[in-house]
């Protein structure tokens, strides 16, 4: 008859204050890939206010350092990790270093700003340019997801958020590179959304059909960051349009 008692004492030992404390000290971490002074900084502030530590990832370390310094001065826990999304080893290394220093990444925002080269007319599209656009958008996302997803699945929670322009929904002959690459990124994201739905890991996409300053949104960039927070916090459909596609000025 000692088994129930042993079970009871084991359960009691699991419920000591020490164990509760260790659970509470796990700080969520957002990694923002393509972090810049506009949307990236706004999202960092929004998630930072919710208690997240922030990993900023983009190509230029000195820009990351100045962004991190501003956000740290505002009271947030932030580090910058330079990586080019077209270089898988660099991107994976940046995410691994962020997880080692800040903790497991619980939210991934994939929002690198495409090169102007990807916004050329379709008749100027070369295979090389198409491949680079795909590396930048779709393949970069796949490498990033495969780096952070195991920890999310193990935790049974997390979110992956894609930020794309209107060409992810409707091709435009004058924006040939993103019109090829964004739909590939979207397709991967949507499949992930469906595959992970039962595991507590949310995958979503916010489509912003145009440059944020030109869209003249009521709450500006902070309003967009609020929408991104909502995508993280509440399970929903894969795709959300920030505004109707036809209202965009992309």
């Amino acid at each position: 008859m000692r088994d129930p008692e042993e079970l009871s004492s084991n359960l009691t030992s699991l419920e000591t204050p020490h164990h509760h404390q260790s659970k509470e000290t796990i700080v969520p971490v957002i990694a923002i890939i393509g972090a810049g002074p506009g949307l990236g900084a706004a999202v960092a502030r929004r998630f930072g206010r919710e208690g997240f530590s922030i990993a900023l990832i983009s190509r230029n370390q000195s820009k990351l350092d100045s962004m991190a310094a501003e956000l740290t001065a505002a009271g947030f826990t932030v580090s910058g990790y330079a990586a080019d999304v077209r270089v898988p080893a660099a991107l994976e290394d940046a995410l691994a270093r962020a997880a080692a220093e800040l903790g497991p990444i619980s939210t991934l925002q994939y929002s690198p700003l495409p090169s102007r080269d990807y916004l050329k007319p379709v008749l100027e599209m070369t295979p090389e340019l198409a491949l680079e656009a795909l590396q930048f958008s779709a393949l970069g996302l796949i490498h990033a997801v495969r780096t952070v997803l195991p920890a999310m699945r193990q935790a049974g929670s997390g979110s992956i958020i894609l930020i794309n322009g209107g060409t992810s929904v409707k091709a435009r002959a004058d924006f040939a590179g993103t019109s090829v690459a964004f739909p590939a990124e979207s397709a991967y994201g949507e499949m992930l959304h469906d595959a992970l739905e039962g595991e507590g890991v949310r995958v979503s996409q916010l489509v912003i059909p145009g440059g944020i300053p030109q869209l003249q949104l009521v709450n500006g960039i902070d309003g967009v960051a609020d929408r991104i927070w909502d995508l993280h916090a509440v399970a929903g459909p894969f795709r959300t349009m920030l505004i109707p596609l036809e209202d965009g000025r992309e």
Side-chain angles (χ1 to χ4, degrees):
M1 293 297 294
R2 283 194 328 222
D3 288 351
E5 288 169 14
E6 284 174 5
L7 181 62
S8 164
S9 93
N10 286 343
L11 287 172
T12 306
S13 72
L14 285 173
E15 290 172 1
T16 59
H18 170 75
H19 282 278
H20 278 303
Q21 191 180 0
S22 67
K23 268 198 158 180
E24 286 165 8
T25 52
I26 295 173
V27 175
V29 178
I30 180 170
I32 303 172
I33 297 178
L39 184 60
V43 169
R45 290 191 299 268
R46 183 67 182 84
F47 277 74
R49 287 201 300 274
E50 301 287 346
F52 276 67
S53 295
I54 302 143
L56 305 172
I57 298 174
S58 67
R59 277 179 284 196
N60 187 310
Q61 187 67 52
S62 62
K63 286 182 182 174
L64 287 172
D65 290 344
S66 62
M67 263 184 78
E70 280 181 34
L71 290 161
T72 301
F76 303 123
T77 302
V78 193
S79 287
Y81 306 89
D84 186 330
V85 297
R86 297 167 302 176
V87 182
L91 182 57
E92 290 164 8
D93 178 62
L95 288 163
R97 281 189 293 131
E101 290 173 20
L102 299 173
I105 290 160
S106 42
T107 297
L108 176 76
Q109 175 175 304
Y110 194 80
S111 52
L113 194 63
S115 160
R116 295 211 68 79
D117 289 346
Y118 310 153
L119 308 180
K120 287 182 175 176
V122 65
L123 295 177
E124 294 176 27
M125 168 70 83
T126 62
E128 293 77 15
L129 194 63
L131 178 59
E132 189 182 313
L134 284 162
Q135 286 171 331
F136 188 86
S137 296
L139 299 181
L141 173 66
I142 294 169
H143 282 289
V145 166
R146 288 178 64 82
T147 306
V148 302
L149 190 56
M152 290 184 185
R153 294 182 76 189
Q154 190 175 355
S157 67
S159 60
I160 296 165
I161 302 165
L162 288 54
I163 311 294
N164 292 108
T167 49
S168 59
V169 179
K170 183 170 173 51
R172 284 183 51 172
D174 50 340
F175 286 4
T178 59
S179 291
V180 166
F182 277 173
E185 180 185 340
S186 300
Y188 174 68
E190 190 164 12
M191 290 186 290
L192 267 187
H193 171 274
D194 296 347
L196 295 169
E197 211 162 13
E199 295 193 30
V201 179
R202 294 178 294 286
V203 183
S204 53
Q205 177 190 49
L206 181 64
V207 177
I208 304 175
I212 292 171
Q214 290 78 42
L215 295 180
Q216 298 170 341
L217 304 166
V218 177
N219 294 319
I221 208 150
D222 291 328
V224 181
D226 286 336
R227 292 289 291 276
I228 292 168
W229 170 259
D230 291 342
L231 292 178
H232 158 76
V234 183
F238 168 64
R239 176 173 289 154
T240 297
M241 302 293 297
L242 180 66
I243 58 171
L245 187 64
E246 58 273 14
D247 292 353
R249 299 169 183 77
E250 189 178 69

